[in-house]
Amino acid sequence: MHDLYAVEKERTQTYEEMVERVLKPVREGSEVCFVSYGHPGVFAQPMHEAVRRARAEGYQATMLPAISAEDCLFADLGVDPGNAGCQSFEATDFLVYARTFDTRSALVLWQIGVIAEKGFKKQFDAWSLAGLEVLRDRLLEFYPASHEVQIYDAAQYVCCDPVIARVDLGRMLEAKIGALSTLYVPPTATAQPDREMVRKLGLA
Ligand SMILES: C[S@@+](CC[C@H](N)C(=O)[O-])C[C@H]1O[C@@H](n2cnc3c(N)ncnc32)[C@H](O)[C@@H]1O
């Protein structure tokens, strides 16, 4: 599918062409398997759309789950989302919709390297430094500059190790951030229990 990407072409157009490329052999009567990296239904609009459109046209279509970048992150960074909760947002969405979040829970931000980028670039480095600056400044409204965050790149091949950069939030842009990096922001503090709720649940 990679040949469908092009500089100056909006990714929504590319995604539409991906869906149609997958559906063409379906309509011609073939059994089709559409394979993507990570989880096909996580930050992967064309896969959802291909399944939705195939079903709407009367074909049987099933999405199978797989291992997302976030699943790899939990293993490689050794964090358990069950401990304090985990909030997960697409970085541009996080900024544009001023998402409400809790600094006492972990925060995972996807696509930090392509903030506000509608098109495609060939470089592996972050596509938008300006977007990263906006993100850092937004996070600094909630976390101290000394709060240590992790820029995470899962290994893409079995022979490789993940790349994990630990850096103070205020100096985040000094780390190597690529188009495939994910940001992990650990909780700032331990939450204090709601005593009334504790009593109500009989946990006292
Ligand atoms: C279009 S999404 C695809 C996600 C994929 N479907 C999954 O399940 O992981 C691309 C984003 O996923 C994350 N991602 C993809 N590959 C990654 C990797 N090797 N390490 C860390 N994050 C990754 C990054 O946030 C990246 O910007």
Side-chain angles (χ1 to χ4, degrees), residues 79-155:
V79 294
D80 186 335
N83 285 343
C86 182
Q87 308 147 104
S88 195
F89 297 100
E90 198 279 331
T92 305
D93 171 285
F94 177 77
L95 293 168
V96 169
Y97 295 101
R99 294 292 181 193
T100 305
F101 63 104
D102 187 339
T103 56
R104 299 166 305 170
S105 297
L107 177 65
V108 175
L109 293 176
W110 298 65
Q111 305 204 143
I112 58 169
V114 299
I115 291 172
E117 288 285 345
K118 292 182 185 167
F120 174 75
K121 291 187 183 173
K122 287 190 172 158
Q123 65 199 51
F124 289 109
D125 292 343
W127 295 356
S128 169
L129 281 179
L132 277 168
E133 279 175 11
V134 173
L135 177 65
R136 177 203 57 199
D137 293 346
R138 175 71 177 155
L139 292 173
L140 284 172
E141 293 174 25
F142 300 91
Y143 300 92
S146 59
H147 191 55
E148 190 182 79
V149 300
Q150 300 187 46
I151 314 288
Y152 173 67
D153 282 85

Side-chain angles (χ1 to χ4, degrees), residues 37-39 42-44 67-69 109-112 152-154 156 179-182:
Y37 75 92
H39 188 302
V42 175
F43 295 82
I67 301 172
S68 74
L109 293 176
W110 298 65
Q111 305 204 143
I112 58 169
Y152 173 67
D153 282 85
Q156 293 187 56
L180 285 183
S181 298
T182 297

